[in-house]
Amino acid sequence: MYRALIEDIFYEPEETEETEEITFPATDKDLLILTERFLAFEIPSKVFLQAIAIADYDGAAAFRYVDSYLNTLKNKNKRKHKKLLVLGASTRFDNN
């Protein structure tokens, strides 16, 4: 009971009122842009279809999903290249 009373006393509509984010489905142009972003990479069809499904409800979220996936993919490739360089250098020293 006291908790409800305290919440009523300190209630300020501007601060506690939750605002809903309005979402819009992706347009045909947006879907084309999403597809073009994936073209430079080999990706599983499941990832592409997931991006399209997200775009059906929220275009902005689909772009965030694509960007996040591609950034993760790029970071994995960078780590692989670093490991290959280290392994290549260590084998040269073993042969001397």
Side-chain angles (χ1 to χ4, degrees):
M1 181 88 167
Y2 69 90
R3 186 175 188 169
L5 181 61
I6 291 173
E7 287 177 357
D8 286 342
I9 292 171
F10 292 107
Y11 177 75
E12 294 182 22
E14 296 88 33
E15 292 179 12
T16 59
E17 188 175 313
E18 293 183 23
T19 58
E20 274 190 39
E21 185 178 322
I22 299 173
T23 60
F24 298 101
T27 63
D28 290 340
K29 185 177 179 180
D30 293 336
L31 292 174
L32 181 63
I33 293 169
L34 280 173
T35 304
E36 288 175 348
R37 286 191 182 182
F38 277 134
L39 287 178
F41 302 93
E42 291 184 29
I43 59 161
S45 58
K46 182 179 179 180
V47 173
F48 178 73
L49 294 174
Q50 181 68 30
I52 299 301
I54 293 170
D56 191 32
Y57 296 99
D58 187 359
F63 278 97
R64 288 191 303 270
Y65 176 77
V66 169
D67 290 339
S68 174
Y69 182 82
L70 294 178
N71 284 335
T72 303
L73 193 63
K74 289 176 187 176
N75 289 338
K76 283 182 182 180
N77 287 339
K78 285 180 184 178
R79 282 186 259 155
K80 283 183 183 178
H81 290 298
K82 286 180 183 179
K83 287 180 182 178
L84 290 175
L85 289 175
V86 171
L87 290 175
S90 66
T91 58
R92 289 183 196 153
F93 290 120
D94 291 341
N95 290 335
N96 288 334

